[in-house]
Amino acid sequence: MRVLVWNEFRHEKSKPEVAEIYPDGIHGAIADFLQSEQIEVRTATLDEAEHGLTEEVLNQTDVLLWWGHVAHDEVRDEIVAKVHKRVLEGMGLIVLHSGHFSKIFKQLMGTTCDLKWRVADEKERLWVIDPSHPIVEGIGEYIELEKEEMYGEHFDIPAPDQLLFVSWFEGGEVFRSGCTYQRGKGRIFYFRPGHESYPTYHNSQIQRVIKNAVKWVKPESGMMTNYGRSEPLETISDKELK
Amino acid sequence: MRVLVWNEFRHEKSKPEVAEIYPDGIHGAIADFLQSEQIEVRTATLDEAEHGLTEEVLNQTDVLLWWGHVAHDEVRDEIVAKVHKRVLEGMGLIVLHSGHFSKIFKQLMGTTCDLKWRVADEKERLWVIDPSHPIVEGIGEYIELEKEEMYGEHFDIPAPDQLLFVSWFEGGEVFRSGCTYQRGKGRIFYFRPGHESYPTYHNSQIQRVIKNAVKWVKPESGMMTNYGRSEPLETISDKELK
Amino acid sequence: MRVLVWNEFRHEKSKPEVAEIYPDGIHGAIADFLQSEQIEVRTATLDEAEHGLTEEVLNQTDVLLWWGHVAHDEVRDEIVAKVHKRVLEGMGLIVLHSGHFSKIFKQLMGTTCDLKWRVADEKERLWVIDPSHPIVEGIGEYIELEKEEMYGEHFDIPAPDQLLFVSWFEGGEVFRSGCTYQRGKGRIFYFRPGHESYPTYHNSQIQRVIKNAVKWVKPESGMMTNYGRSEPLETISDKELK
Amino acid sequence: MRVLVWNEFRHEKSKPEVAEIYPDGIHGAIADFLQSEQIEVRTATLDEAEHGLTEEVLNQTDVLLWWGHVAHDEVRDEIVAKVHKRVLEGMGLIVLHSGHFSKIFKQLMGTTCDLKWRVADEKERLWVIDPSHPIVEGIGEYIELEKEEMYGEHFDIPAPDQLLFVSWFEGGEVFRSGCTYQRGKGRIFYFRPGHESYPTYHNSQIQRVIKNAVKWVKPESGMMTNYGRSEPLETISDKELK
């Protein structure tokens, strides 16, 4: 399986406290724990040519992970269109944290994807809502994060196909933190945690969820569809309108 | 309630056989049967200024019906953006037949909305799948149309929130013909039948479904959401990361 | 509309602190705020003959509300079967709080309906997840209850058709507190709050949700289904198996 | 993986024309094509002691397939209760054809599971609705069966979690022929075709679907839930009701 971790990669360059947590970038941290014998991981970032998302790269990608925050608008529309096309063709997509406001996620959802937020060093507890889903395998009842950014309802998304996590926040809010969607032939998983100023992607349970999700969103083989004008499969009677 | 029926209104001008069936345009036929004491109906068409969809008109619309076919590309993106915004704010939307390929429907769905099709004067039978849904009230077990265009699966849409009709076609195909979606605060109903060369919108059961749907997609009063930075509702403890 | 409020009515008789909050029983309190010009409300309780749920009473009921807790097992199976039949025929059902473990709810869900719980005078905040649903009309962003029993995930129910509320609890848990289901021709709403030792049903927002829900679960008119052996609607060809 | 194929096994004994198609019983035919290096297949039938479904057998079963028709009522309630418990604990269940009226399926669904039917040697075409689902892997756009029993809508089931197939019938009906459900920790797949008087289970595409389904419904490892009274995870403040 070929996985591509895409990161905006701006905070790590401009904020020393982020660079300290993620010296190789958020993409580097994620690539590091995903790499295995079964999974070939590459990374791409916003400031590379074509954001590192050439058609060739996309065509060789089974699963794409997406982290962005301050520079969603700098992602070029024609690149987003290529990613969108690939998802509908079957490429799996995992949208992380502030990626909820990325062009690609909004285009796939059709809604504003807006939410409440607050950065206040508060506790988050992600409760498992669907304990037998492959994405939560090995997680137990909940994941506790000592400090995270808060995201609160209402989250303006289509009702998820499957709701896997709901977060409890110390400051009093809740949030649908793990959501799956099918769009075209592609599977999508949105996973809430991962603010750049906290070491969330170093948490082993968070890593487990992302590893499980990579396996779950990967495309099936042997998918087939035909569209457009079609010859009838049965004889159509000659008739007069009554 | 204020209803706006939007029609591309091209076939009626270029094809005499369509004008014969719909002398006042498809929009005229639909407006005609929707008009009532409770419902104020207006119409708008592609070739009007701003396609008849000015901000003022949209702001005064509770429910929008959309019929388009050959000129989807001529609908200007900034108008589509305004319609999209209004749906997410709560305006109900009913997408009819070939409107499946309209910009507004594709933007709300996030998928290609592609399908199979064939014009062969064949019989369609729309079976009710959800007999207690308000949109099928008074319809009975199925609607039979002596001649219609065929639309066949696979229909590339997100799984509908509610599946109300599945069509049987004489030529051997099936189709999810009545689908509801919630997007933002807006309710959406996609309803398949209505090819321009058949008198489908003169059928009393089809009219009944559309009347029911207008009532069902209309916005609720008293909807409320807040987004953006939020103060905590509970005290957040001072703490050190363990 | 004819509404029937069913209550186990045991706590109110055995515990003075409950009787103080609900001197006319929980059913009395609910009947009181539901009664209106449009709604005729009756009540029924466990210790009445046939639990107050004779076939005649059920046949004259459009919407049934159900509160039970310590005596689920005393509800006779043949009465449950009659209620079940009526729900599948279209009678609306609102299951309140500890009714999650009632025979009728478990039979309709097909699962254990188990959950976590704790009575600790803790704060509950019910966040609205689906702000445009008729059941949350007029509620705003959330309902806050100063003291309630905690119910926590995992809640062993089928994924709800629509998820309307998620609760935040002071002690650290979350819960799917407002869930809708369609079963047969009947609509079902499960609504979590309402422990007998707290004045929850005197809260005006809780009353608003229940009033909205009564309107939403009430049966449609003109529903129609046929089952069993059916004559073909089209000619079936004579053929030999290839 | 340990798979158990359960069959009523009555038609094969009483009707020579069925015995001719399935000389080893429907269970024998299914077991035959499921058997592989990865899958250990056993069978059980109604007339064995405890219907072949002892607690020991059930505890050693990962996936159960169920075919029944004329003798649903002879399946003892206490055995059904054991199967139900095992499904909620995670055992996968595949319900075949007339199993729609089995006690176990009705108990899991909570509805009547009624439908229309007709045996008239008519053509069925099962259209794939969800082309990227693992259960339809390798199937193409549809499966065509020259002769089958007709099942028609309305099918009185809860809306499926995922709708995989819709059937077209020569006589004019449609049917939701492939439906998935999650109940407790167990996955369920209902698959329509398989009337005893037709060689449906000898069809290689039907076999492919059933093989795919066995893999899809099998339980995940590492599922975990806790229910009942729970200590708080956060400090609950002392407070007075306002």
Side-chain angles (χ1 to χ4, degrees):
Chain A
M1 199 185 345
R2 298 157 305 175
V3 173
L4 182 64
V5 183
W6 191 89
N7 182 16
E8 190 181 273
F9 197 32
R10 290 281 172 88
H11 292 301
E12 297 92 330
K13 291 188 268 188
S14 62
K15 296 189 189 177
E17 66 275 22
V18 177
E20 199 176 334
I21 302 171
Y22 297 114
D24 302 319
I26 285 176
H27 55 294
I30 293 173
D32 198 49
F33 70 74
L34 282 181
Q35 190 72 53
S36 74
E37 273 183 35
Q38 288 75 42
I39 302 181
E40 178 202 322
V41 187
R42 288 159 306 153
T43 63
T45 57
L46 179 63
D47 294 325
E48 296 175 36
E50 299 188 43
H51 314 320
L53 299 168
T54 61
E55 214 160 308
E56 200 191 340
V57 165
L58 285 171
N59 286 339
Q60 290 168 7
T61 298
D62 297 309
V63 175
L64 175 65
L65 292 93
W66 194 278
W67 198 103
H69 185 208
V70 288
H72 293 313
D73 285 349
E74 296 181 40
V75 180
R76 282 158 46 202
D77 288 346
E78 66 270 26
I79 306 290
V80 175
K82 282 178 192 169
V83 175
H84 187 231
K85 182 167 172 288
R86 279 288 295 142
V87 172
L88 299 186
E89 288 169 359
M91 182 179 73
L93 178 68
I94 299 174
V95 175
L96 295 167
H97 188 61
S98 41
H100 75 91
F101 254 171
S102 62
K103 288 181 179 177
I104 181 61
F105 191 59
K106 290 199 287 187
Q107 186 164 351
L108 284 160
M109 296 295 106
T111 58
T112 68
C113 301
D114 212 343
L115 47 75
K116 286 201 184 68
W117 62 272
R118 174 177 64 237
V119 180
D121 289 0
E122 72 195 278
K123 190 186 289 183
E124 174 178 15
R125 189 176 291 110
L126 296 106
W127 285 93
V128 170
I129 300 299
D130 193 347
S132 62
H133 197 284
I135 289 181
V136 305
E137 196 259 308
I139 292 306
E141 291 190 276
Y142 58 81
I143 301 172
E144 198 170 299
L145 300 169
E146 209 51 38
K147 293 184 180 181
E148 249 294 353
E149 182 178 5
M150 184 282 292
Y151 278 7
E153 297 283 345
H154 178 247
F155 186 17
D156 186 24
I157 47 171
D161 294 350
Q162 297 163 317
L163 177 62
L164 307 190
F165 289 103
V166 168
S167 286
W168 176 99
F169 286 97
E170 196 178 352
E173 287 86 359
V174 298
F175 194 75
R176 287 170 289 171
S177 284
C179 300
T180 76
Y181 294 95
Q182 178 83 33
R183 288 297 180 267
K185 298 192 186 70
R187 291 193 198 117
I188 301 163
F189 178 55
Y190 174 76
F191 192 41
R192 195 214 78 82
H195 190 61
E196 69 272 7
S197 63
Y198 303 114
T200 299
Y201 295 118
H202 297 315
N203 178 296
S204 64
Q205 281 178 298
I206 297 294
Q207 293 178 1
R208 178 70 173 264
V209 170
I210 295 172
K211 283 180 203 172
N212 290 342
V214 163
K215 275 189 258 176
W216 189 82
V217 301
K218 78 165 193 291
E220 298 294 315
S221 59
M223 296 183 287
M224 182 188 158
T225 50
N226 284 309
Y227 299 106
R229 203 190 172 292
S230 297
E231 291 303 313
L233 301 159
E234 304 288 327
T235 308
I236 293 170
S237 67
D238 267 316
K239 67 192 158 210
E240 294 300 308
L241 258 190
K242 291 169 195 172
Chain B
M1 198 186 344
R2 297 157 305 176
V3 172
L4 182 64
V5 183
W6 191 90
N7 182 16
E8 190 181 273
F9 197 32
R10 291 279 174 88
H11 292 302
E12 297 93 330
K13 290 188 269 189
S14 62
K15 294 189 190 177
E17 66 275 23
V18 177
E20 198 176 336
I21 301 171
Y22 297 114
D24 302 317
I26 285 175
H27 55 295
I30 294 173
D32 197 49
F33 70 74
L34 282 182
Q35 190 72 53
S36 75
E37 274 182 35
Q38 289 75 42
I39 303 181
E40 179 202 320
V41 186
R42 288 161 303 155
T43 64
T45 56
L46 178 64
D47 293 326
E48 297 174 36
E50 298 189 45
H51 313 321
L53 298 169
T54 61
E55 214 160 308
E56 200 191 338
V57 165
L58 285 171
N59 286 339
Q60 291 168 6
T61 299
D62 296 309
V63 174
L64 175 65
L65 292 95
W66 193 278
W67 198 102
H69 185 207
V70 287
H72 293 312
D73 285 349
E74 296 181 40
V75 180
R76 283 158 44 203
D77 288 346
E78 65 271 23
I79 306 289
V80 175
K82 282 178 193 170
V83 174
H84 186 231
K85 183 168 172 288
R86 279 288 294 143
V87 172
L88 299 186
E89 287 170 0
M91 183 179 72
L93 178 69
I94 298 174
V95 175
L96 295 168
H97 188 62
S98 43
H100 75 91
F101 255 172
S102 62
K103 288 182 179 178
I104 182 62
F105 191 60
K106 290 199 288 187
Q107 187 165 349
L108 284 160
M109 296 296 104
T111 58
T112 67
C113 302
D114 212 344
L115 48 75
K116 286 202 184 66
W117 61 272
R118 173 176 64 236
V119 180
D121 289 359
E122 72 195 277
K123 190 187 289 184
E124 173 178 15
R125 189 177 290 111
L126 296 106
W127 286 93
V128 170
I129 299 300
D130 193 347
S132 62
H133 196 285
I135 289 182
V136 305
E137 197 259 307
I139 292 306
E141 292 190 275
Y142 58 82
I143 300 172
E144 198 169 301
L145 299 170
E146 209 51 39
K147 292 184 180 180
E148 250 292 354
E149 183 178 5
M150 183 281 293
Y151 279 7
E153 297 281 346
H154 178 247
F155 186 17
D156 186 24
I157 46 171
D161 294 350
Q162 298 163 317
L163 177 62
L164 307 191
F165 289 102
V166 168
S167 286
W168 177 98
F169 287 98
E170 196 178 353
E173 287 86 358
V174 298
F175 194 75
R176 288 169 289 170
S177 283
C179 299
T180 77
Y181 294 94
Q182 178 83 31
R183 289 296 181 267
K185 298 191 187 70
R187 290 192 198 115
I188 301 163
F189 179 55
Y190 174 76
F191 192 42
R192 195 214 78 82
H195 190 62
E196 69 273 7
S197 64
Y198 303 114
T200 299
Y201 296 117
H202 297 313
N203 178 296
S204 65
Q205 282 178 296
I206 296 294
Q207 293 179 1
R208 178 71 174 262
V209 170
I210 295 173
K211 284 180 202 171
N212 289 342
V214 163
K215 277 189 258 176
W216 188 81
V217 300
K218 77 165 194 293
E220 297 295 315
S221 59
M223 296 183 288
M224 181 187 158
T225 50
N226 284 309
Y227 299 105
R229 205 192 170 289
S230 298
E231 290 302 314
L233 300 159
E234 305 288 328
T235 308
I236 293 170
S237 67
D238 266 318
K239 67 192 159 211
E240 295 300 309
L241 260 190
K242 292 168 196 173
Chain C
M1 199 184 346
R2 297 157 305 175
V3 173
L4 182 65
V5 183
W6 192 90
N7 182 16
E8 191 182 273
F9 196 33
R10 290 280 172 88
H11 292 302
E12 298 93 329
K13 290 188 268 189
S14 62
K15 296 190 189 177
E17 65 275 23
V18 177
E20 198 176 334
I21 301 172
Y22 296 114
D24 302 319
I26 285 176
H27 55 294
I30 293 173
D32 197 50
F33 70 74
L34 281 181
Q35 189 73 53
S36 75
E37 274 183 34
Q38 288 75 43
I39 302 180
E40 179 202 321
V41 187
R42 287 161 304 154
T43 63
T45 56
L46 179 63
D47 294 325
E48 297 175 36
E50 299 189 44
H51 314 320
L53 298 168
T54 61
E55 214 160 306
E56 200 191 339
V57 165
L58 285 171
N59 286 339
Q60 291 168 7
T61 298
D62 297 310
V63 174
L64 175 66
L65 292 93
W66 193 279
W67 199 102
H69 185 207
V70 288
H72 293 312
D73 284 350
E74 297 181 40
V75 180
R76 282 157 45 201
D77 288 345
E78 66 270 26
I79 305 290
V80 175
K82 282 178 191 170
V83 175
H84 186 231
K85 183 167 171 288
R86 279 287 295 142
V87 172
L88 299 187
E89 287 169 0
M91 182 179 72
L93 178 69
I94 298 174
V95 175
L96 296 167
H97 188 62
S98 42
H100 75 91
F101 255 171
S102 62
K103 288 181 178 177
I104 182 62
F105 191 60
K106 291 199 288 187
Q107 186 164 349
L108 284 160
M109 296 295 104
T111 58
T112 68
C113 302
D114 212 343
L115 46 76
K116 286 201 185 66
W117 62 273
R118 174 176 64 236
V119 180
D121 289 359
E122 72 195 277
K123 191 187 288 183
E124 174 178 14
R125 189 176 291 110
L126 296 106
W127 285 93
V128 170
I129 299 300
D130 193 347
S132 62
H133 196 284
I135 290 182
V136 305
E137 196 260 308
I139 292 305
E141 291 190 277
Y142 58 81
I143 300 172
E144 198 170 301
L145 299 170
E146 210 51 39
K147 292 184 180 181
E148 250 293 352
E149 182 177 7
M150 183 282 293
Y151 279 6
E153 296 282 345
H154 178 248
F155 185 18
D156 186 24
I157 48 171
D161 294 349
Q162 298 163 317
L163 177 61
L164 307 191
F165 289 102
V166 168
S167 286
W168 177 99
F169 287 98
E170 196 178 352
E173 286 87 357
V174 297
F175 195 75
R176 287 170 290 171
S177 284
C179 300
T180 76
Y181 294 94
Q182 178 83 32
R183 288 296 180 267
K185 298 191 187 69
R187 291 193 197 116
I188 301 164
F189 178 55
Y190 174 76
F191 192 40
R192 195 215 78 83
H195 189 61
E196 68 273 6
S197 63
Y198 303 115
T200 299
Y201 295 118
H202 297 313
N203 178 295
S204 65
Q205 281 177 298
I206 296 294
Q207 293 179 0
R208 179 70 174 263
V209 170
I210 295 173
K211 283 180 204 172
N212 290 342
V214 163
K215 275 189 259 176
W216 188 82
V217 301
K218 78 165 194 290
E220 297 295 313
S221 58
M223 296 183 287
M224 182 187 158
T225 50
N226 285 308
Y227 299 106
R229 203 189 172 291
S230 297
E231 291 302 314
L233 300 159
E234 305 288 328
T235 308
I236 294 170
S237 66
D238 266 318
K239 66 192 160 213
E240 293 301 307
L241 259 190
K242 291 168 195 173
Chain D
M1 199 186 346
R2 298 157 305 175
V3 172
L4 182 65
V5 183
W6 191 90
N7 182 16
E8 191 181 273
F9 196 33
R10 290 279 173 88
H11 293 301
E12 297 93 329
K13 291 188 268 188
S14 62
K15 295 189 189 178
E17 65 275 24
V18 177
E20 199 176 335
I21 302 172
Y22 297 115
D24 302 317
I26 285 175
H27 55 294
I30 293 174
D32 196 50
F33 69 75
L34 282 181
Q35 189 73 53
S36 75
E37 274 183 33
Q38 288 75 40
I39 302 181
E40 178 201 321
V41 186
R42 288 160 305 154
T43 63
T45 57
L46 178 64
D47 294 326
E48 296 174 34
E50 300 189 43
H51 313 320
L53 298 169
T54 62
E55 213 160 307
E56 200 191 339
V57 165
L58 285 171
N59 286 339
Q60 290 168 7
T61 298
D62 296 310
V63 174
L64 174 66
L65 292 95
W66 193 278
W67 198 103
H69 185 208
V70 288
H72 293 311
D73 285 349
E74 296 181 40
V75 180
R76 282 159 45 202
D77 289 345
E78 66 270 25
I79 305 290
V80 175
K82 282 178 193 170
V83 174
H84 187 231
K85 182 167 173 288
R86 279 288 295 141
V87 172
L88 299 187
E89 288 168 359
M91 182 179 73
L93 177 70
I94 298 174
V95 175
L96 295 168
H97 189 61
S98 42
H100 75 91
F101 255 172
S102 62
K103 288 181 178 177
I104 182 61
F105 191 59
K106 290 199 288 186
Q107 187 164 349
L108 284 159
M109 296 295 105
T111 58
T112 68
C113 301
D114 212 343
L115 48 74
K116 287 202 183 66
W117 62 272
R118 174 176 63 237
V119 181
D121 289 0
E122 72 195 277
K123 190 187 288 183
E124 174 178 15
R125 189 177 290 112
L126 296 105
W127 285 93
V128 170
I129 300 299
D130 193 348
S132 62
H133 196 284
I135 290 181
V136 305
E137 197 259 309
I139 292 306
E141 293 190 273
Y142 58 82
I143 300 172
E144 199 170 301
L145 299 170
E146 209 52 39
K147 292 185 180 180
E148 250 292 354
E149 183 178 6
M150 184 282 293
Y151 279 6
E153 296 282 346
H154 178 247
F155 186 17
D156 186 24
I157 47 171
D161 295 349
Q162 298 163 317
L163 178 61
L164 306 190
F165 289 102
V166 168
S167 285
W168 177 99
F169 286 98
E170 195 179 353
E173 287 86 359
V174 298
F175 195 75
R176 288 170 288 172
S177 283
C179 300
T180 76
Y181 295 93
Q182 178 83 32
R183 289 296 181 268
K185 298 192 186 70
R187 290 193 198 115
I188 301 163
F189 179 55
Y190 174 76
F191 192 41
R192 196 213 78 81
H195 190 61
E196 69 273 7
S197 63
Y198 302 115
T200 299
Y201 297 117
H202 297 314
N203 178 296
S204 64
Q205 282 178 296
I206 297 294
Q207 294 179 0
R208 179 71 174 263
V209 170
I210 295 173
K211 284 180 202 171
N212 289 342
V214 164
K215 277 189 256 175
W216 188 82
V217 302
K218 78 166 193 291
E220 297 295 315
S221 58
M223 297 183 288
M224 181 187 159
T225 49
N226 284 310
Y227 299 106
R229 203 190 172 291
S230 297
E231 290 303 312
L233 300 159
E234 304 289 327
T235 308
I236 293 170
S237 67
D238 266 318
K239 66 192 159 211
E240 295 300 309
L241 259 191
K242 292 169 196 174

